[in-house]
Amino acid sequence: MLSDENLSGLIKGVNKSLHERTINNMPSDLRYELEQLIANITPLKIISPGKIEELSGKRPVVAVDGSFNMAGSFQPYILYLFQAYAKSSAGDGEIVSDIFSPLLPEHYKRLEKLSREENLAGVQALERVKNHILTSMELQAAANAVKKYSPWLVLFDGGFMRFSRHASQEWNEYLRLAESKGVISAGIIEEAESYGLYRVLNESRSENNTIYDREMLFGRMETGECLMLPGEKQIKSEFYTVFARLSRYPQATAYDFLPGVNMETIFNVMCFLYTITPSGSRGIPLILDIVDSEVRITRREMELLLSAYLDTGIKEKFFISHRNRRDY
Amino acid sequence: MVQVVGATTQQEVWVASRERKFIINEILLVEDQLRNSPRGEVIETYSFNRYIPLATETNGLIDEQVLAGLKAVGYSVDEEEINIAKLRIIGEISTPIGVGKQVRLPDFQEVEDLLVSNYPDYALTLGTIRGTGNLLDDLPGELSDTMCIYEQNAGIMPQDGVPFIFDYKSMNEYPHIGIFGGSGSGKSFGLRVFLEEFMKKRVPVVVLDPHWEMDFSTSFKGLPQERARDFSGEYKLFVVGVDVGVDFTDLKAAELVSLLGSGESLSEPMSNAVFTLHENKDSYTSFSSKLYGLITVMENESILNQDSAAIDNPREKEKIDYLSKLAAKYKDRVGHLSSLKGIAWRLNALEREGVFTAGTSPVEGAVMDGRLSVVRGPVKLLQVYGAYLLDRLYRNRRDYQDARQKGEPAKWFPPFVFVTDEAHNFSMKGERDSYSKRVIRGISQEGRKYGVILCMATQRPALLDDTVTAQLNTKIIFRTVRVTDINVIKEETDIGSEEARRLPYLNSGNAFLSSAITGRTIPIKIRCACTQSPHTQNPFEELEQVYFQQENQFWNIIKDKLPFSTNALHLVLGTISDELGKLIDHDQLIEQMNKLEEDGKVYAEKNPFGTTFHRSS
Ligand SMILES: Nc1ncnc2c1ncn2[C@@H]1O[C@H](COP(=O)(O)OP(=O)(O)O)[C@@H](O)[C@H]1O
Ligand SMILES: [Mg+2]
């Protein structure tokens, strides 16, 4: 690595700038509103196994996550591997897997059609298709698990917005199924970018240096605290979002619930999630961390899969970029 | 279900299973028809709960309530264990094994060729092959129930795997054995098993026994009757200087120099003097007369100035004549008087140890008879004597073979095995050329031609002469902790880095056998010996026993003299001393009484006149 003093100077500049950007530099009325909001914070309780059984009616919990990997580096020399997994706490789980490659004629046609109809550039179309495949597979796995295990609660890794945006048809089907089975669904958003807390607090404001929820909530909540917005201050009309800090890690996490779920149920589910989150972890319920690690295909495993099932010539010709052939 | 989950190299794959724990060294079969279903040995095992670490970025534990909470919805995270093993494929395969291939335990027939090369009737049953426990039920009759196993905490156990049978006849092609391992790792135990097996096969063996432990008269404690074996008549114990020694007349000057240098090497002038004085076929008497004669002359030169013709006493006259001749012949060549005195002193010491009173013929007889000779003696002497003995036996065998080659008549002398512990003392790396080193080196390089096999045990393979180490075609490696030794082992054997990493942790009696005879490195557990060393009492237990007896004796004497007071001790001291059989004074008695008080046997009542000891009720 080259070490340039200019670069370190620039980084120091970023540091300074971010210091100036803290919550304390917020306009005072905004701060007041945030404090009002914080008044809504309620502590969650660790609940007993007996209480959990009572809440769940002894039905299991399903946790859903998806993963995708990419071989190759530019269109059309790309092969995507998708996996979605809905793991049941009571048994194995449901796996769905798929691949996508513009090199395959029918896949190529699909891309082309999308490009044409929506007037998208190739890369954008590919991104769309990818998102659709992944989200619809997750929903498929979740639906299979709901049918098979009749769970009490389905936890998704990620917010609901992804589903309604990228796979609206499948999402609606899932919602119908969940409703008919009386299943509670929750989406856990670890990387809380923005849910518009800021906007909620201050609809009239139009400053351009937006403050993200991440910053607003960092270090503001104690372990085990949960922020449930009063009904009139809903962030997204489609879902109901709750913020909570479930471990000692100071960053709060967001939880999407479906509208129509009553507050008491949400509170109970949050207590359950708090109970199953290790206090020394990043603040994610353990079972979700588990699905995440199970469904993920590491680079190394990906390599092995490709080497095992693609002929070396094919692999080299189509999916190894020059960049990967470099030795360093 | 066991599955291949990844490959590291062509020869190594990772296999995983949720249900089954892998056993180190077990052999598994990969169902891969394309590659003829290769077999592999488990060389590393791991079991872990892959989820525990997820939660533990900052602290080492998952909170209790998390596990309880998940259990309440039916999920036991603590049972999410995954077993992973590294499998080393045996034999060559041309392309890597695919991920996802099924793996299973083989039947005995499917691995027999890898494990069994011979049967107990024809070769040495040394122990079991580790990791073969699940093949036990499949074993043919000749291979089942052939031995017992000894576990330090469980005692004698039945055979726990496929027998390891050492095809000793192949040493004709690949001679010599090295037995390496730290103190307490199982070398002596392993040697004992080797020796028992050689006795069973009536192979002549000579073993040097510096630790006085190789006796075969005591049956291994707790061994079932049907496993016991009486070795009497099959081995002989010899003590250097009592039963065996040096035939002085047969000594060469160089051998004599080595013998004299057994405690501390001879100085240059001393060994020169020996070379000058010693003549072939010198007897002990003729050699020592020359030596003492010269000393007399050099101490008192005037003795030769007498006119011998003037001496009346014919014996005295003869003596003076002898001394004159001696002086004329050697005086200017033997160096300084002090060298001669040094030689005389050493010669005398050997003589006093009885080294020259007996010869090697008792051992030669036992070798001829196909028996085991156990040769004991003081460590330093044994080392030099051992080399001398080995040299002689080797020469006997060589003379016979060479004569036969030339078609000349010769007295038969059998091939034999020579065994020693602390072998690095015999053949030390880098050290100057010693007698024992020359002998061992020679046999390590030429012994094969004559059927003379070395078995060298040492706890310091790094100190063993490289030339010799390189000639040891079979190496048995027990627990080794020292890095320098491990490095030598890595260089000199084909054991892999996984095995090398395990060397410091092997239990006593477990070893890796790396041999040109077996081809691949085999992990073995040496069987329970049929016999044990007669003196295996733990020295600390011995101490406890002695002290306990002494205390008991004291208590028995004192107890009916109680109570007595410290100011009236003189009344009891006399009788107590009498009964103890040794004098005990006032302070010693009080000290002993205080000890008894600590033990709760007496209690001390303090009063103005001193302390009165009472017997506790
Ligand atoms: N094959 C074996 N099976 C069971 N225990 C053994 C075995 N070999 C050695 N041991 C145990 O280890 C101890 C030390 O072994 P030993 O052969 O005296 O070690 P070394 O000669 O290497 O110093 C023995 O007393 C015995 O308890
Ligand atoms: Mg020993």
PDB file of all heavy atoms in Angstrom, chain A residues 118-147:
ATOM      1  N   GLU A 118     -39.499  -1.517 -19.785  1.00  0.00           N
ATOM      2  CA  GLU A 118     -39.361  -0.491 -18.759  1.00  0.00           C
ATOM      3  C   GLU A 118     -38.315   0.538 -19.145  1.00  0.00           C
ATOM      4  O   GLU A 118     -37.967   1.412 -18.338  1.00  0.00           O
ATOM      5  CB  GLU A 118     -38.987  -1.131 -17.426  1.00  0.00           C
ATOM      6  CG  GLU A 118     -39.880  -2.292 -17.051  1.00  0.00           C
ATOM      7  CD  GLU A 118     -40.871  -1.903 -15.982  1.00  0.00           C
ATOM      8  OE1 GLU A 118     -40.577  -0.966 -15.212  1.00  0.00           O
ATOM      9  OE2 GLU A 118     -41.934  -2.545 -15.925  1.00  0.00           O
ATOM     10  N   ASN A 119     -37.773   0.346 -20.291  1.00  0.00           N
ATOM     11  CA  ASN A 119     -36.761   1.271 -20.774  1.00  0.00           C
ATOM     12  C   ASN A 119     -35.587   1.392 -19.792  1.00  0.00           C
ATOM     13  O   ASN A 119     -35.245   2.458 -19.307  1.00  0.00           O
ATOM     14  CB  ASN A 119     -37.399   2.636 -21.038  1.00  0.00           C
ATOM     15  CG  ASN A 119     -36.480   3.501 -21.857  1.00  0.00           C
ATOM     16  OD1 ASN A 119     -35.553   2.979 -22.513  1.00  0.00           O
ATOM     17  ND2 ASN A 119     -36.704   4.803 -21.827  1.00  0.00           N
ATOM     18  N   LEU A 120     -35.028   0.224 -19.468  1.00  0.00           N
ATOM     19  CA  LEU A 120     -33.939   0.193 -18.480  1.00  0.00           C
ATOM     20  C   LEU A 120     -32.625  -0.149 -19.149  1.00  0.00           C
ATOM     21  O   LEU A 120     -32.602  -0.887 -20.134  1.00  0.00           O
ATOM     22  CB  LEU A 120     -34.213  -0.867 -17.420  1.00  0.00           C
ATOM     23  CG  LEU A 120     -35.371  -0.612 -16.476  1.00  0.00           C
ATOM     24  CD1 LEU A 120     -35.591  -1.824 -15.614  1.00  0.00           C
ATOM     25  CD2 LEU A 120     -35.099   0.627 -15.624  1.00  0.00           C
ATOM     26  N   ALA A 121     -31.550   0.354 -18.585  1.00  0.00           N
ATOM     27  CA  ALA A 121     -30.238  -0.062 -19.061  1.00  0.00           C
ATOM     28  C   ALA A 121     -30.006  -1.501 -18.624  1.00  0.00           C
ATOM     29  O   ALA A 121     -30.645  -1.991 -17.689  1.00  0.00           O
ATOM     30  CB  ALA A 121     -29.154   0.834 -18.474  1.00  0.00           C
ATOM     31  N   GLY A 122     -29.079  -2.162 -19.301  1.00  0.00           N
ATOM     32  CA  GLY A 122     -28.846  -3.585 -19.026  1.00  0.00           C
ATOM     33  C   GLY A 122     -28.544  -3.853 -17.554  1.00  0.00           C
ATOM     34  O   GLY A 122     -29.107  -4.763 -16.942  1.00  0.00           O
ATOM     35  N   VAL A 123     -27.689  -3.052 -16.974  1.00  0.00           N
ATOM     36  CA  VAL A 123     -27.294  -3.281 -15.595  1.00  0.00           C
ATOM     37  C   VAL A 123     -28.484  -3.113 -14.658  1.00  0.00           C
ATOM     38  O   VAL A 123     -28.691  -3.889 -13.735  1.00  0.00           O
ATOM     39  CB  VAL A 123     -26.174  -2.294 -15.185  1.00  0.00           C
ATOM     40  CG1 VAL A 123     -25.636  -2.647 -13.819  1.00  0.00           C
ATOM     41  CG2 VAL A 123     -25.082  -2.298 -16.219  1.00  0.00           C
ATOM     42  N   GLN A 124     -29.291  -2.110 -14.938  1.00  0.00           N
ATOM     43  CA  GLN A 124     -30.470  -1.880 -14.095  1.00  0.00           C
ATOM     44  C   GLN A 124     -31.439  -3.039 -14.183  1.00  0.00           C
ATOM     45  O   GLN A 124     -31.990  -3.485 -13.182  1.00  0.00           O
ATOM     46  CB  GLN A 124     -31.186  -0.609 -14.548  1.00  0.00           C
ATOM     47  CG  GLN A 124     -30.468   0.658 -14.120  1.00  0.00           C
ATOM     48  CD  GLN A 124     -31.091   1.877 -14.772  1.00  0.00           C
ATOM     49  OE1 GLN A 124     -31.299   1.903 -15.998  1.00  0.00           O
ATOM     50  NE2 GLN A 124     -31.405   2.872 -13.957  1.00  0.00           N
ATOM     51  N   ALA A 125     -31.626  -3.525 -15.413  1.00  0.00           N
ATOM     52  CA  ALA A 125     -32.549  -4.642 -15.601  1.00  0.00           C
ATOM     53  C   ALA A 125     -32.054  -5.862 -14.826  1.00  0.00           C
ATOM     54  O   ALA A 125     -32.831  -6.547 -14.152  1.00  0.00           O
ATOM     55  CB  ALA A 125     -32.662  -4.967 -17.078  1.00  0.00           C
ATOM     56  N   LEU A 126     -30.770  -6.084 -14.908  1.00  0.00           N
ATOM     57  CA  LEU A 126     -30.202  -7.240 -14.206  1.00  0.00           C
ATOM     58  C   LEU A 126     -30.420  -7.102 -12.700  1.00  0.00           C
ATOM     59  O   LEU A 126     -30.809  -8.052 -12.009  1.00  0.00           O
ATOM     60  CB  LEU A 126     -28.706  -7.341 -14.527  1.00  0.00           C
ATOM     61  CG  LEU A 126     -27.991  -8.550 -13.958  1.00  0.00           C
ATOM     62  CD1 LEU A 126     -28.550  -9.836 -14.553  1.00  0.00           C
ATOM     63  CD2 LEU A 126     -26.489  -8.480 -14.224  1.00  0.00           C
ATOM     64  N   GLU A 127     -30.212  -5.911 -12.202  1.00  0.00           N
ATOM     65  CA  GLU A 127     -30.393  -5.641 -10.781  1.00  0.00           C
ATOM     66  C   GLU A 127     -31.853  -5.925 -10.370  1.00  0.00           C
ATOM     67  O   GLU A 127     -32.115  -6.549  -9.343  1.00  0.00           O
ATOM     68  CB  GLU A 127     -30.020  -4.173 -10.523  1.00  0.00           C
ATOM     69  CG  GLU A 127     -29.979  -3.750  -9.067  1.00  0.00           C
ATOM     70  CD  GLU A 127     -28.850  -4.411  -8.304  1.00  0.00           C
ATOM     71  OE1 GLU A 127     -27.912  -4.938  -8.933  1.00  0.00           O
ATOM     72  OE2 GLU A 127     -28.927  -4.418  -7.060  1.00  0.00           O
ATOM     73  N   ARG A 128     -32.773  -5.499 -11.197  1.00  0.00           N
ATOM     74  CA  ARG A 128     -34.193  -5.727 -10.942  1.00  0.00           C
ATOM     75  C   ARG A 128     -34.495  -7.213 -10.843  1.00  0.00           C
ATOM     76  O   ARG A 128     -35.153  -7.672  -9.920  1.00  0.00           O
ATOM     77  CB  ARG A 128     -35.035  -5.160 -12.108  1.00  0.00           C
ATOM     78  CG  ARG A 128     -35.321  -3.721 -11.969  1.00  0.00           C
ATOM     79  CD  ARG A 128     -36.648  -3.525 -11.199  1.00  0.00           C
ATOM     80  NE  ARG A 128     -37.105  -2.176 -11.504  1.00  0.00           N
ATOM     81  CZ  ARG A 128     -38.013  -1.922 -12.441  1.00  0.00           C
ATOM     82  NH1 ARG A 128     -38.603  -2.911 -13.081  1.00  0.00           N
ATOM     83  NH2 ARG A 128     -38.337  -0.694 -12.714  1.00  0.00           N
ATOM     84  N   VAL A 129     -34.017  -7.894 -11.884  1.00  0.00           N
ATOM     85  CA  VAL A 129     -34.306  -9.323 -11.928  1.00  0.00           C
ATOM     86  C   VAL A 129     -33.721 -10.011 -10.705  1.00  0.00           C
ATOM     87  O   VAL A 129     -34.371 -10.829 -10.059  1.00  0.00           O
ATOM     88  CB  VAL A 129     -33.725  -9.952 -13.218  1.00  0.00           C
ATOM     89  CG1 VAL A 129     -33.769 -11.461 -13.152  1.00  0.00           C
ATOM     90  CG2 VAL A 129     -34.489  -9.441 -14.417  1.00  0.00           C
ATOM     91  N   LYS A 130     -32.519  -9.638 -10.395  1.00  0.00           N
ATOM     92  CA  LYS A 130     -31.852 -10.229  -9.236  1.00  0.00           C
ATOM     93  C   LYS A 130     -32.673 -10.008  -7.971  1.00  0.00           C
ATOM     94  O   LYS A 130     -32.940 -10.937  -7.210  1.00  0.00           O
ATOM     95  CB  LYS A 130     -30.458  -9.594  -9.089  1.00  0.00           C
ATOM     96  CG  LYS A 130     -29.613 -10.215  -8.022  1.00  0.00           C
ATOM     97  CD  LYS A 130     -28.409  -9.360  -7.725  1.00  0.00           C
ATOM     98  CE  LYS A 130     -28.704  -8.464  -6.531  1.00  0.00           C
ATOM     99  NZ  LYS A 130     -27.632  -7.499  -6.260  1.00  0.00           N
ATOM    100  N   ASN A 131     -33.073  -8.767  -7.767  1.00  0.00           N
ATOM    101  CA  ASN A 131     -33.866  -8.456  -6.581  1.00  0.00           C
ATOM    102  C   ASN A 131     -35.172  -9.238  -6.557  1.00  0.00           C
ATOM    103  O   ASN A 131     -35.621  -9.710  -5.528  1.00  0.00           O
ATOM    104  CB  ASN A 131     -34.164  -6.962  -6.516  1.00  0.00           C
ATOM    105  CG  ASN A 131     -32.953  -6.186  -6.044  1.00  0.00           C
ATOM    106  OD1 ASN A 131     -32.134  -6.709  -5.289  1.00  0.00           O
ATOM    107  ND2 ASN A 131     -32.817  -4.949  -6.515  1.00  0.00           N
ATOM    108  N   HIS A 132     -35.768  -9.340  -7.708  1.00  0.00           N
ATOM    109  CA  HIS A 132     -37.035 -10.055  -7.764  1.00  0.00           C
ATOM    110  C   HIS A 132     -36.855 -11.530  -7.422  1.00  0.00           C
ATOM    111  O   HIS A 132     -37.580 -12.100  -6.615  1.00  0.00           O
ATOM    112  CB  HIS A 132     -37.690  -9.906  -9.135  1.00  0.00           C
ATOM    113  CG  HIS A 132     -38.940 -10.719  -9.242  1.00  0.00           C
ATOM    114  ND1 HIS A 132     -39.002 -11.865  -9.993  1.00  0.00           N
ATOM    115  CD2 HIS A 132     -40.145 -10.594  -8.646  1.00  0.00           C
ATOM    116  CE1 HIS A 132     -40.211 -12.406  -9.861  1.00  0.00           C
ATOM    117  NE2 HIS A 132     -40.931 -11.637  -9.052  1.00  0.00           N
ATOM    118  N   ILE A 133     -35.846 -12.107  -8.031  1.00  0.00           N
ATOM    119  CA  ILE A 133     -35.634 -13.532  -7.772  1.00  0.00           C
ATOM    120  C   ILE A 133     -35.389 -13.764  -6.283  1.00  0.00           C
ATOM    121  O   ILE A 133     -36.005 -14.625  -5.665  1.00  0.00           O
ATOM    122  CB  ILE A 133     -34.447 -14.084  -8.587  1.00  0.00           C
ATOM    123  CG1 ILE A 133     -34.782 -14.026 -10.071  1.00  0.00           C
ATOM    124  CG2 ILE A 133     -34.132 -15.516  -8.177  1.00  0.00           C
ATOM    125  CD1 ILE A 133     -33.646 -14.508 -10.965  1.00  0.00           C
ATOM    126  N   LEU A 134     -34.510 -12.967  -5.721  1.00  0.00           N
ATOM    127  CA  LEU A 134     -34.132 -13.187  -4.328  1.00  0.00           C
ATOM    128  C   LEU A 134     -35.332 -12.994  -3.398  1.00  0.00           C
ATOM    129  O   LEU A 134     -35.633 -13.864  -2.574  1.00  0.00           O
ATOM    130  CB  LEU A 134     -32.987 -12.236  -3.944  1.00  0.00           C
ATOM    131  CG  LEU A 134     -32.396 -12.497  -2.568  1.00  0.00           C
ATOM    132  CD1 LEU A 134     -31.802 -13.892  -2.505  1.00  0.00           C
ATOM    133  CD2 LEU A 134     -31.321 -11.453  -2.245  1.00  0.00           C
ATOM    134  N   THR A 135     -36.044 -11.881  -3.547  1.00  0.00           N
ATOM    135  CA  THR A 135     -37.148 -11.631  -2.622  1.00  0.00           C
ATOM    136  C   THR A 135     -38.274 -12.644  -2.819  1.00  0.00           C
ATOM    137  O   THR A 135     -38.847 -13.148  -1.852  1.00  0.00           O
ATOM    138  CB  THR A 135     -37.703 -10.202  -2.798  1.00  0.00           C
ATOM    139  OG1 THR A 135     -37.827  -9.933  -4.185  1.00  0.00           O
ATOM    140  CG2 THR A 135     -36.775  -9.193  -2.162  1.00  0.00           C
ATOM    141  N   SER A 136     -38.566 -12.972  -4.071  1.00  0.00           N
ATOM    142  CA  SER A 136     -39.663 -13.912  -4.263  1.00  0.00           C
ATOM    143  C   SER A 136     -39.282 -15.301  -3.737  1.00  0.00           C
ATOM    144  O   SER A 136     -40.132 -16.032  -3.242  1.00  0.00           O
ATOM    145  CB  SER A 136     -40.088 -13.969  -5.728  1.00  0.00           C
ATOM    146  OG  SER A 136     -39.011 -14.389  -6.512  1.00  0.00           O
ATOM    147  N   MET A 137     -37.984 -15.632  -3.822  1.00  0.00           N
ATOM    148  CA  MET A 137     -37.570 -16.931  -3.265  1.00  0.00           C
ATOM    149  C   MET A 137     -37.703 -16.944  -1.750  1.00  0.00           C
ATOM    150  O   MET A 137     -38.098 -17.941  -1.159  1.00  0.00           O
ATOM    151  CB  MET A 137     -36.121 -17.228  -3.648  1.00  0.00           C
ATOM    152  CG  MET A 137     -35.996 -17.853  -5.032  1.00  0.00           C
ATOM    153  SD  MET A 137     -34.275 -17.922  -5.551  1.00  0.00           S
ATOM    154  CE  MET A 137     -33.548 -18.814  -4.207  1.00  0.00           C
ATOM    155  N   GLU A 138     -37.333 -15.852  -1.124  1.00  0.00           N
ATOM    156  CA  GLU A 138     -37.478 -15.784   0.331  1.00  0.00           C
ATOM    157  C   GLU A 138     -38.949 -15.950   0.709  1.00  0.00           C
ATOM    158  O   GLU A 138     -39.279 -16.674   1.648  1.00  0.00           O
ATOM    159  CB  GLU A 138     -36.941 -14.445   0.859  1.00  0.00           C
ATOM    160  CG  GLU A 138     -35.423 -14.412   0.909  1.00  0.00           C
ATOM    161  CD  GLU A 138     -34.878 -13.035   1.319  1.00  0.00           C
ATOM    162  OE1 GLU A 138     -35.399 -12.434   2.269  1.00  0.00           O
ATOM    163  OE2 GLU A 138     -33.923 -12.565   0.668  1.00  0.00           O
ATOM    164  N   LEU A 139     -39.807 -15.272  -0.051  1.00  0.00           N
ATOM    165  CA  LEU A 139     -41.236 -15.381   0.247  1.00  0.00           C
ATOM    166  C   LEU A 139     -41.737 -16.795  -0.006  1.00  0.00           C
ATOM    167  O   LEU A 139     -42.564 -17.323   0.731  1.00  0.00           O
ATOM    168  CB  LEU A 139     -42.022 -14.374  -0.603  1.00  0.00           C
ATOM    169  CG  LEU A 139     -41.796 -12.920  -0.161  1.00  0.00           C
ATOM    170  CD1 LEU A 139     -42.333 -11.958  -1.219  1.00  0.00           C
ATOM    171  CD2 LEU A 139     -42.462 -12.667   1.202  1.00  0.00           C
ATOM    172  N   GLN A 140     -41.198 -17.398  -1.040  1.00  0.00           N
ATOM    173  CA  GLN A 140     -41.583 -18.779  -1.353  1.00  0.00           C
ATOM    174  C   GLN A 140     -41.194 -19.717  -0.207  1.00  0.00           C
ATOM    175  O   GLN A 140     -42.002 -20.523   0.246  1.00  0.00           O
ATOM    176  CB  GLN A 140     -40.861 -19.215  -2.639  1.00  0.00           C
ATOM    177  CG  GLN A 140     -41.255 -20.581  -3.129  1.00  0.00           C
ATOM    178  CD  GLN A 140     -42.734 -20.615  -3.503  1.00  0.00           C
ATOM    179  OE1 GLN A 140     -43.195 -19.785  -4.283  1.00  0.00           O
ATOM    180  NE2 GLN A 140     -43.475 -21.543  -2.899  1.00  0.00           N
ATOM    181  N   ALA A 141     -39.954 -19.554   0.260  1.00  0.00           N
ATOM    182  CA  ALA A 141     -39.489 -20.394   1.368  1.00  0.00           C
ATOM    183  C   ALA A 141     -40.343 -20.152   2.601  1.00  0.00           C
ATOM    184  O   ALA A 141     -40.772 -21.094   3.287  1.00  0.00           O
ATOM    185  CB  ALA A 141     -38.027 -20.093   1.682  1.00  0.00           C
ATOM    186  N   ALA A 142     -40.651 -18.863   2.861  1.00  0.00           N
ATOM    187  CA  ALA A 142     -41.462 -18.526   4.022  1.00  0.00           C
ATOM    188  C   ALA A 142     -42.845 -19.164   3.885  1.00  0.00           C
ATOM    189  O   ALA A 142     -43.360 -19.784   4.832  1.00  0.00           O
ATOM    190  CB  ALA A 142     -41.582 -17.018   4.162  1.00  0.00           C
ATOM    191  N   ALA A 143     -43.434 -19.048   2.707  1.00  0.00           N
ATOM    192  CA  ALA A 143     -44.778 -19.597   2.502  1.00  0.00           C
ATOM    193  C   ALA A 143     -44.767 -21.113   2.694  1.00  0.00           C
ATOM    194  O   ALA A 143     -45.647 -21.669   3.366  1.00  0.00           O
ATOM    195  CB  ALA A 143     -45.274 -19.236   1.101  1.00  0.00           C
ATOM    196  N   ASN A 144     -43.763 -21.763   2.134  1.00  0.00           N
ATOM    197  CA  ASN A 144     -43.660 -23.219   2.320  1.00  0.00           C
ATOM    198  C   ASN A 144     -43.600 -23.568   3.798  1.00  0.00           C
ATOM    199  O   ASN A 144     -44.253 -24.511   4.251  1.00  0.00           O
ATOM    200  CB  ASN A 144     -42.411 -23.758   1.644  1.00  0.00           C
ATOM    201  CG  ASN A 144     -42.498 -23.662   0.126  1.00  0.00           C
ATOM    202  OD1 ASN A 144     -43.556 -23.347  -0.417  1.00  0.00           O
ATOM    203  ND2 ASN A 144     -41.376 -23.907  -0.551  1.00  0.00           N
ATOM    204  N   ALA A 145     -42.803 -22.789   4.527  1.00  0.00           N
ATOM    205  CA  ALA A 145     -42.641 -23.086   5.950  1.00  0.00           C
ATOM    206  C   ALA A 145     -43.936 -22.819   6.713  1.00  0.00           C
ATOM    207  O   ALA A 145     -44.290 -23.554   7.634  1.00  0.00           O
ATOM    208  CB  ALA A 145     -41.500 -22.264   6.528  1.00  0.00           C
ATOM    209  N   VAL A 146     -44.641 -21.765   6.326  1.00  0.00           N
ATOM    210  CA  VAL A 146     -45.912 -21.458   7.003  1.00  0.00           C
ATOM    211  C   VAL A 146     -46.880 -22.624   6.812  1.00  0.00           C
ATOM    212  O   VAL A 146     -47.515 -23.098   7.743  1.00  0.00           O
ATOM    213  CB  VAL A 146     -46.520 -20.139   6.466  1.00  0.00           C
ATOM    214  CG1 VAL A 146     -47.978 -20.002   6.902  1.00  0.00           C
ATOM    215  CG2 VAL A 146     -45.689 -18.965   6.945  1.00  0.00           C
ATOM    216  N   LYS A 147     -46.910 -23.121   5.582  1.00  0.00           N
ATOM    217  CA  LYS A 147     -47.817 -24.240   5.305  1.00  0.00           C
ATOM    218  C   LYS A 147     -47.387 -25.482   6.082  1.00  0.00           C
ATOM    219  O   LYS A 147     -48.205 -26.205   6.625  1.00  0.00           O
ATOM    220  CB  LYS A 147     -47.826 -24.557   3.814  1.00  0.00           C
ATOM    221  CG  LYS A 147     -48.613 -23.539   3.003  1.00  0.00           C
ATOM    222  CD  LYS A 147     -48.563 -23.915   1.518  1.00  0.00           C
ATOM    223  CE  LYS A 147     -48.767 -22.671   0.658  1.00  0.00           C
ATOM    224  NZ  LYS A 147     -48.098 -22.772  -0.629  1.00  0.00           N
TER     225      LYS A 147
END
